Amino acid sequence: FLMMGNLATGLKAHAVTMFERGKLGAENVDDLLRLLADVDTNAEGEAQRYNDHAIALRETLLALRSSPLVQQRRQQQQKQQQRHQPPS
């Protein structure tokens, strides 16, 4: 729905990336959430259908991010990255 809807250019770019690669990196998810936050909740006809799907995607991503398991995994990844960074 993100690829077919006329919601925003950035959203379409993320949709193409997800379709072609099957995933988004954490930094891309941050940008995707920022763009999804700007989706208008009021539209008419078929446009409302696209908006509803975009809003559902945003809410799903936010719910997944608030999961304790996801937060724990993110903290572990950050610790690993810090260990592998060369001293400055």
Side-chain angles (χ1 to χ4, degrees), residues 4-73:
M4 297 184 315
N6 191 17
L7 300 170
T9 304
L11 286 174
K12 193 167 281 198
H14 286 300
V16 169
T17 300
M18 286 188 288
F19 179 77
E20 290 176 349
R21 294 179 52 204
K23 61 183 178 180
L24 285 178
E27 60 281 343
N28 290 337
V29 174
D30 292 336
D31 188 50
L32 176 61
L33 283 169
R34 183 184 55 77
L35 292 168
L36 288 170
D38 294 336
V39 171
D40 188 9
T41 57
N42 297 314
E44 295 182 15
E46 191 70 17
Q48 185 61 47
R49 184 175 179 205
Y50 294 120
N51 290 10
D52 289 344
H53 282 88
I55 293 165
L57 175 60
R58 179 188 69 214
E59 296 302 316
T60 301
L61 290 172
L62 290 172
L64 289 171
R65 281 202 155 181
S66 67
S67 163
L69 292 174
V70 171
Q71 291 175 1
Q72 182 182 15
R73 175 89 189 259

